[in-house]
Amino acid sequence: QVHLVESGGGSVQAGGSLRLSCTVPKWSYSGYCMAWFRQPPGKEREGVALIDSDGRTTYAPYIEDRFAISQDNAKVTLYLQINSAKPEDTATYYCAADPPVGGWRKCPWVNYKYWGQGTQVTVSS
């Protein structure tokens, strides 16, 4: 059973920074995908950033360069750095993971198999 556990959420004033963390499986094979999504209050969940097993990153077009997705060297923790936070960043943030397929693939924005429980980020003006 795969469990993803997010941490690092909380309240921050506009202009501040947060780093969200998520424990992820250590998959030995290539072709896995990791992602961060968010759900603002009263809105649908939306993608934030993706990272593939080669470390390539993709950001949603509406995401500013204030956000950065990364993994630690051991590939067991997924991060989302949020800098210069804005009130519109307020949301529940979820990490997601999709198992390896044995070769490189372009990571999707949908159909992730594993999800964390979410961590709340609140940015006050």
Side-chain angles (χ1 to χ4, degrees), residues 29-53:
Y29 297 102
S30 63
Y32 64 78
C33 295
M34 307 283 187
W36 286 99
F37 292 80
R38 68 183 181 184
Q39 186 167 17
K43 297 184 179 181
E44 294 188 353
R45 188 169 61 196
E46 60 186 16
V48 175
L50 312 173
I51 187 167
D52 68 21
S53 52

